[in-house]
Every structure is written in C-alpha cells, then in structure tokens.
Amino acid sequence: MHQHADLDGRHGALTLGSNHVRFALWAPDAQTVSVVTAKGLSMSMLSHSDGWFSLEAQCAVGTHYKYLVDNEFEVPDPASRFQSNGVHGHSVVVDQDAYNWRCQNWQGRPWTEAIIYELHVGLMGGYSAVKSSLPRLADLGVTAIELMPLAQFPGERNWGYDGVLPYAPQCSYGRPEELKSLIDAAHGLGMGVILDVVYNHFGPDGNFLHTYAKQFFQDDKKTPWGDAIDYSRTEVRDFFIDSALMWLLDYRFDGLRLDAVHAIDDPTFLEEFSQRVRAGCGEDREIWLVLENENNEARRLENGFNAQWNDDGHNTLHVLLTGETDAYYANFASNPTHKLARMLSEGFVYQGEATRNGQQRGEPSGHLPPDSFVLFLQNHDQIGNRAMGERLAHICPTPALRAATVLLLLSPMIPLFFMGDEWAADEPFLFFTDFHDELAAKVCEGRRGEFADFSAFADEQQRERIPDPNALSTFENSKPAFKDAYQEIGESAHSDWVSFYRQLLQIRHSDIIPRLHGCKALGAEVLADKAVTARWRMGDGKTLRIDLNLSQMSLGIDVDPTALLLFFYLSQRRNSAAISATLRRISHSGNMRHRDLAGFHPHP
C-alpha cells in the first residue's frame, strides 16, 4: 500500500487535536488547491509530486469548507465527513472521537446469529426515528438491522445508490452523532448494524472527481453509470478502503454489504479490501462482510467474505409463488422446483450453467456452508424494481407466502427480510429520487423504459402509469405504517403476521442458531411439482428436515415419530400451502409415520 509520509494514506479532513486539522486531497490534474472556508478564509495547500495536496492548519471542528482548484472552481471534499447542505454545499470538519460511546465493550455477534432486517432510514424518518424502533425489532427477534446506503446523495430523498460522497452520512437523515447514537443503542440491545455501501460507481449529480482527478476513472471502460472506476490505482483503492474503515471504526458498524461487486472491474480489489478491513478492525471484533455479486463467485465466500445475497434463491421462490417469468425471472422459469432443491442443497442455482442469454454464470458452491448465503423473499431491489412497487403479500396468496416465510426463517441460510414484511405491509416500496430539471426527466424516462420487456408494460401508454421517481408523492406513498401494524389493540391480519414472525424467530433462536456453526447440507429432493424436502446436518450432529409443498396436490410424507417437530404450518383453507420443520438425531432409525402436506394452488 502506497502512503505518502505526511499523509498516512488517508483522504479528507482529519482532526489532529484541539483546533488542529490536516486536509488531504488527491488531485493529479490540478496545479494549485486551496482550502476556502464559508467565512472567506483561504489557505493554500502544499503540492506533492504524486498528485497529493495537503495542509495542516489551525481550524475549528465544525468549520465549513471547500477546495478551490486552480483558482477556478470550488468543490466539496470528496472524502467529506459531513455536508452542511447536500452534495453541492460545504463540507464540515468533524471530530470523530467526540462522541461518548456507552457500549464500550461491544465486539459484535457471530455471523451464524444474524437475522437481518433491511430498512430505509429516510422512509422511517431519519436516524433518531430508526433508533426509537429498535426495541420493537429486538422484541421481534431481529439481531441486526441493515441500512440502505447513507453516502451523501443529491436532494432530500433517494434509495441511496446515487451517492457521490462515500464518507459523508446523508445530512437529511440527521447529524453524524445521531447516527452513532443509533448504532450505540442497537448494540445496547444486542443488535448489530450493517451498512450497504456502493463502491462500484458514483451517482449522476455532485461528483466532481472528473474535473481534477481524471485518473480516478478508466475512460476506455464503460459501466451503466459511466466510466469505470480505476481500481488499479493505489489512491483509488485507498479511497474506498479508508471509507469502509471509517464506517467500521468511527461509527462502529458491525458489517458492510457491498453493492454489485460484479461491476468492479479489478480481480484483486475485493481480496485486498477484505484483508485490510479485517486487519484494520482487529481480531477481536466480529466483522460481517457480505457481497451482492451477479457472477456467483463462490471462491469469494471462501476468502474474506461471510456470505452473498442469494438472488438465485429469491428468483426461484418468486417464480414458484407468483408464476411470473418476465425479464430476469425467465432464467428461473424452467423446472423451478428442481432449482429450489438445488438452491437448498448447494446454495447457488447457477454454478457455471448458461443463462437465457447464453452466458455462463457462477461457480460450484455445494461445498460451502449454508450460512454463506443470505436468503430473502423480498428486499429493496425485488420490491422497488417492480413498476408499482407491490409487495408479495399483494401478488401471491397468503398461505403460500406464509409457507415460504417458514422456509426463510427456519432454514440454515441467513435470513433477511425487508421493512414491512413482518406485517405484510399494504404500502408499496417505490423507486424514488430527488433530481431536478433535465436529469429528473431523464431518470423518469429511463425508469419507465426499464419495463418495456414486461408484458404488463409493453405499451408506452401503460408505462405512463409508472410513478415518477422524483414526485414527492412517490416517496410519501412508500412510507410503511409501522404504528398501525404494531398496535396491540385488537386482532388484525397485520398483527397476526407480526405474531407469526415472532413465533418463528423464537424457534430460530432456540433450535437453529445454537446448532448452525458447522452445519452442512445433506441434500434436497423434489417430491412433486412445487414440493421439496431438504435436510441439513447441524453442528451438534442432529438433522434438520424441512418439507415444503406449494403444489396443487396433497402429498404423503414419512415422518420419524421420535423427531422433535419444530413447526408445522397448514392453512385451514382448501388447496393450502404446507410446511414442516423437524429436528432429529442423525443416528436414529425407526418406524416412520405418514403425514399429508396439503397442496396449494399458486393462483388466487
């Protein structure tokens, strides 16, 4: 790792003591750079031969500043620790050591204990509002929350994947100390906090690196978001790794979920990333590193990363639950029951096979433990990337969704569910942004154009119904009604769902998590169309067996009479879904008794 002697490899403004700040900017295309404050003070930075500019100066915490490049244009600090007024505003000097942590001894939880609740901070009302929801989530059985990206993005509202300042927590959600208080409170309840980070691209508004650091990008390699980031450069690698360490050390996040790493065009960066991040955090801390990776590179999960979001699992279950086979679901339309069995037994569905586009995808994954895969029925992508943002509760029958939920929460894979899943929220989760003028029009047009491959929106007039991402109403309509769902007064379909989740998570805590370390899949079999049975040898030598039936036909299965029945779900409706989870000693053999798993018709 290249480090300049007086810069120690770190970007941005770092406090060195009382009223003493060191500024550092990598600007290889600039001739001169100055720090200019909001009060009009200008301080020239020292130029170094490797493209760095630095300055140590008397400067108070809270100072608002920008960089003046070549006496022509002012830009925010690309490693700003906080922005006063969005991506075009002043950067703010932050003392990361000022917060007084209450949970001083928190070292995290083992990955096998993860039960992840993904949420959007803005929709919940900001850092303080999320903090107030933590006791409810802890009572439900959640052991970790995952925050959608916080890096400063343009405007007041955004999913977070348009961030341009990867060190600065979004200012419209609250101040840095409020984010730290949220994490501190989570630790006090025994909950971890994961941050979704985007290191594969910058958003379309507010990124000024092209003006003074063109070498940050590769103009001969394009991505869906423009020129690819050049990870062959030490300064670029340091920029993102230092950002990751900032979130883990200064804010004490417990883990990171790396967005779309298949879009990072460097085969060595991820390995260096995991090594340096884990070394920087020390051996005593439990640090969770999770990937989103369309390439299904199983080797990544053997070397430095805990797990990968299992899109194959979601896509297979989605086809079985809804019958939808448009767009990317087409890769899972053929023999989805066999794909489900393979996923439960081996992790990935695609392990080198060709997709519908003829491209080989994936690597063998059957040797990996089940906790190498994060399973979900829904996440922000799989709801929000629907044109109208509908949740599964509104596009598939309740019995099927409940049966799939049992599979999600009791299988040895790491479960993740999205805010509102636990009460079958009525509100959609739509794609929203806060762009303006020409960019807003392009984003709206692009959003609607994405659905041309879907039969329901093949006609341009039909696509006009898709909500404008920039309309305030699109954001407001996506706010989940937490208060209504968790009211203790009376019974409702929503409160019944909450009780269902709570019951299943209690079983996971008592019977799955203690046995999860050392778990190994023993295989899965197709019983009939839309029906499978799967088994795992748990860490204590017992066998977990799950039988799932989403078919139209009732099926007979053999059940060990001495096995401990963990859970059995059978809807009272005719043609209903059924699922059972049993736990027995692997060495036991004896008479088996017969049980019917009633069938379920997949369309309401």
Side-chain angles (χ1 to χ4, degrees), residues 305-337:
F305 292 92
N306 296 82
Q308 176 179 315
W309 274 25
N310 196 351
D311 284 336
D312 284 10
H314 164 271
N315 294 344
T316 302
L317 284 163
H318 188 92
V319 169
L320 288 167
L321 290 171
T322 68
E324 295 179 346
T325 57
D326 283 325
Y328 51 81
Y329 291 127
N331 283 326
F332 299 84
S334 174
N335 297 318
T337 308

Side-chain angles (χ1 to χ4, degrees), residues 110 143 147 157 176 193 207 235 271 321 337 342 350 384 402 440-441 446 468 471 532 537 603:
T143 63
L147 311 184
R157 55 192 183 273
V193 188
N207 173 27
E235 296 84 359
E271 182 177 354
L321 290 171
T337 308
R342 188 180 205 198
Y350 281 90
R402 287 195 176 234
D468 179 357
V532 299
R537 181 187 294 116
H603 301 291

Side-chain angles (χ1 to χ4, degrees), residues 347-369:
F348 295 139
V349 171
Y350 281 90
Q351 301 179 33
E353 294 80 8
T355 66
R356 64 192 174 104
N357 297 322
Q359 296 179 334
Q360 288 186 320
R361 173 173 177 254
E363 298 172 355
S365 58
H367 61 289
L368 295 171

Side-chain angles (χ1 to χ4, degrees), residues 29 265 449 572:
D29 299 317
D265 187 25
Q572 295 179 353

Side-chain angles (χ1 to χ4, degrees), residues 71 199 204 296 306 368 454 470 474 573:
N71 292 314
Y199 294 155
N296 282 1
N306 296 82
L368 295 171
F454 289 79
N470 298 289
T474 302
R573 292 171 50 186

